[in-house]
């Protein structure tokens, strides 16, 4: 790669290092932290203009990760834990750890400090080698949880377009500040987060097939458009040359099952769209956990054949309320009728 050659010849300075800590979820005695160690390519999502947006998108996908790097994790009570990144710079800490709820803020978020723990690492590290990670522990007042897709569910994306050309154009040429949420979606999600009581603080978990490369982009979109803060669970971006083992289960099924197992006493609302496979996945989950799913809402996308197929699936499904809706208002009215919101 040209950049590597220039850096070896000392014609270009090496990029500083950073750690992306992802918003994850866990319990009072189970720590589940996700993140990635990589070079800082200078991505600035606040910059506008076609060139800046394209440059941001390019560098998000052309990331230089740090494999086999030792990461130090410090909890608010000064407990220190360690993990190591994999071949693509990702790390996952998934272990028993007591007394975590007492360390959370009023919203149930556990804030941890991430740092490189390699004494031989001589390259400049940003932020004085102090980076943040977060994990959500659902409030004791929670009435149920919400698991939602992102693309074409809350964010207008165009996944049903031919060869997904709209997805490509939106990702490469549209800044996060100009991306459009569906009308009424953030208000509906806020009401679900508040629950029937109005202050339930129901946990929000955004599960998407978008790659981790777009994490900062999607995190910014959720925040800027006033959707409730929640765990964001994406997937690894695989290329035709990727030799790492493929996961046994598709990403969404794996994540949703893991959430249900993490919170065995909690029921959930599932929200997606009719564009790809959300209907099949959610029906399969509801059949596997018939007492755990309170409702399924699928946003109707502008694709006649797919809408027709999903409508046929839902007509045969009777385990739990499942609606194909054209707008958030319809879903909100139904949620109110079955006692999910005020």
């Amino acid at each position: 790669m040209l950049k590597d050659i220039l850096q070896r010849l000392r014609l270009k300075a090496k990029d500083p290092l950073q750690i992306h800590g992802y918003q994850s979820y866990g319990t009072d005695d189970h720590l589940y932290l996700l993140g990635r160690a990589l070079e800082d390519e200078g991505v600035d999502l606040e910059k506008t203009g076609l060139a800046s947006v394209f440059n941001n998108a390019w560098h998000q996908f052309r990331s230089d990760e740090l494999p086999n790097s030792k990461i130090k994790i410090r909890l608010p009570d000064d407990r220190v834990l360690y993990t190591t990144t994999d071949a693509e710079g990702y790390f996952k800490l998934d272990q028993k750890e007591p007394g975590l709820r007492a360390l959370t803020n009023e919203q149930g978020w556990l804030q941890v400090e991430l740092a490189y723990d390699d004494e031989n690492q001589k390259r400049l590290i940003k932020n004085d080698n102090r980076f943040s990670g977060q994990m959500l522990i659902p409030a004791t007042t929670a009435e149920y949880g919400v698991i939602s897709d992102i693309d074409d569910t809350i964010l207008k994306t165009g996944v049903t377009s031919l060869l997904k050309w709209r997805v490509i154009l939106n990702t490469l040429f549209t800044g996060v500040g100009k991306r459009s949420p569906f009308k009424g979606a953030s208000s509906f999600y806020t009401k679900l987060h508040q629950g029937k009581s109005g202050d339930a603080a129901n946990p929000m978990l955004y599960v998407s097939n978008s790659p981790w490369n777009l994490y900062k982009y999607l995190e910014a979109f959720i925040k800027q458009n006033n959707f409730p803060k929640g765990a964001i669970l994406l997937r690894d971006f695989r290329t035709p040359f990727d030799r790492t083992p493929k996961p046994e289960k598709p990403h969404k099924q794996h994540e949703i099952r893991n959430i249900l197992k993490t919170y065995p006493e909690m029921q959930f609302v599932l929200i997606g769209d009719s564009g790809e496979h959300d209907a099949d996945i959610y029906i399969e989950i509801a059949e596997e956990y018939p007492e755990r799913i309170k409702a399924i809402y699928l946003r109707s996308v502008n694709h006649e054949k797919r809408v027709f197929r999903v409508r046929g699936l839902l007509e045969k499904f009777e385990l739990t309320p499942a609606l194909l809706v054209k707008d958030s208002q319809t879903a909100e009215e139904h949620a109110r009728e079955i006692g999910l919101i005020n």
Side-chain angles (χ1 to χ4, degrees):
M1 186 185 297
L2 177 60
K3 187 181 84 169
D4 293 333
I5 295 173
L6 292 175
Q7 288 178 346
R8 286 170 186 164
L9 294 174
R10 297 186 178 181
L11 298 175
K12 176 179 173 58
K14 290 185 176 181
D15 293 326
L17 306 184
Q18 61 181 335
I19 301 175
H20 284 177
Y22 303 140
Q23 290 168 192
S24 63
Y25 62 95
T27 68
D28 178 54
D29 61 0
H30 198 122
L31 190 66
Y32 183 57
L33 294 172
L34 306 170
R36 196 178 194 190
L38 65 169
E39 294 182 1
D40 181 10
E41 302 286 354
V43 173
D44 185 353
L45 296 176
E46 294 184 0
K47 287 186 176 180
T48 58
L50 189 61
S52 294
V53 171
F54 180 81
N55 184 66
N56 282 335
W58 169 255
H59 284 298
Q60 284 177 94
F61 281 97
R62 194 207 137 281
S63 57
D64 290 321
E65 60 276 355
L66 275 79
N68 307 313
S69 294
K70 192 174 181 181
I71 304 296
K72 180 169 66 174
I73 297 144
R74 185 182 297 276
L75 302 185
D77 61 359
D78 287 333
R79 268 181 278 178
V80 176
L81 310 168
Y82 296 90
T83 188
T84 303
T85 63
D86 64 15
E88 295 185 352
Y90 293 106
F91 66 84
K92 177 170 69 174
L93 191 66
D94 185 2
Q95 66 183 48
K96 292 288 185 180
E97 200 68 37
L100 297 177
R101 184 181 295 279
L103 307 178
T104 62
N105 64 18
E106 65 278 2
Q107 297 297 317
W109 287 96
L110 173 68
Q111 309 282 340
V112 304
E113 182 180 289
L114 308 171
Y116 287 96
D117 191 57
D118 185 352
E119 294 181 359
N120 297 318
Q121 185 58 262
K122 297 180 180 179
R123 204 182 318 180
L124 173 66
I125 301 177
K126 292 190 67 178
N127 299 343
D128 296 322
N129 197 22
R130 299 174 68 180
F131 304 88
S132 65
Q134 300 182 70
M135 188 188 82
L136 175 65
I137 300 178
T140 56
T141 56
E143 299 164 354
Y144 54 84
V146 178
I147 300 173
S148 173
D149 183 32
I150 296 177
D151 296 330
D152 276 343
T153 299
I154 64 173
L155 169 63
K156 295 180 181 178
T157 304
V159 294
T160 61
S161 59
L162 182 63
L163 300 179
K164 299 189 177 181
W165 66 269
R166 287 183 181 173
V167 177
I168 297 170
L169 288 177
N170 283 329
T171 300
L172 292 179
F173 301 113
T174 307
V176 65
K178 293 186 177 180
R179 296 301 296 273
S180 299
F182 285 96
K183 182 179 179 181
S186 64
S187 174
F188 176 45
Y189 277 54
T190 297
K191 291 174 182 176
L192 288 172
H193 177 58
Q194 295 170 341
K196 179 70 173 178
S197 67
D199 56 3
N202 293 325
M204 310 295 293
L205 303 109
Y206 301 95
V207 181
S208 170
N209 278 327
S210 291
W212 284 113
N213 306 67
L214 291 177
Y215 175 84
K216 291 293 183 182
Y217 189 97
L218 296 175
E219 179 189 31
F221 172 84
I222 289 169
K223 183 176 181 179
Q224 289 181 15
N225 289 282
N226 299 314
F227 285 93
K229 182 178 179 180
I232 301 176
L233 307 163
L234 309 181
R235 66 175 179 86
D236 188 14
F237 179 65
R238 298 185 66 88
T239 70
F241 310 102
D242 197 332
R243 295 183 180 180
T244 58
K246 289 185 177 181
E248 295 181 5
K249 288 287 185 180
H251 167 67
K252 278 190 180 179
Q253 286 97 320
H254 171 77
E255 289 292 355
I256 294 173
R257 286 190 176 95
N258 193 50
I259 292 167
L260 291 172
K261 290 175 182 177
T262 300
Y263 309 117
E265 305 301 321
M266 185 175 288
Q267 293 180 299
F268 287 87
V269 174
L270 306 180
I271 310 177
D273 62 81
S274 63
E276 295 193 295
H277 303 292
D278 288 349
D280 306 83
I281 294 168
Y282 292 175
I283 287 173
E284 179 183 323
I285 293 293
E287 289 175 342
E288 187 174 348
Y289 299 91
E291 304 300 322
R292 304 286 306 281
I293 307 304
K294 294 180 74 67
I296 297 173
Y297 298 111
L298 297 166
R299 183 179 295 279
S300 178
V301 300
N302 188 24
H303 193 290
E304 186 176 345
K305 288 184 178 179
R306 298 191 187 194
V307 169
F308 181 79
R309 187 186 78 85
V310 170
R311 188 175 290 119
L313 289 174
L314 296 184
E315 286 176 355
K316 301 174 184 178
F317 178 71
E318 299 179 349
L319 281 177
T320 193
L323 273 70
L324 182 64
V325 298
K326 289 186 177 181
D327 51 53
S328 299
Q329 182 179 349
T330 303
E332 184 175 321
E333 290 172 354
H334 180 268
R336 188 171 290 107
E337 287 176 4
I338 64 173
L340 294 177
I341 62 176
N342 271 324

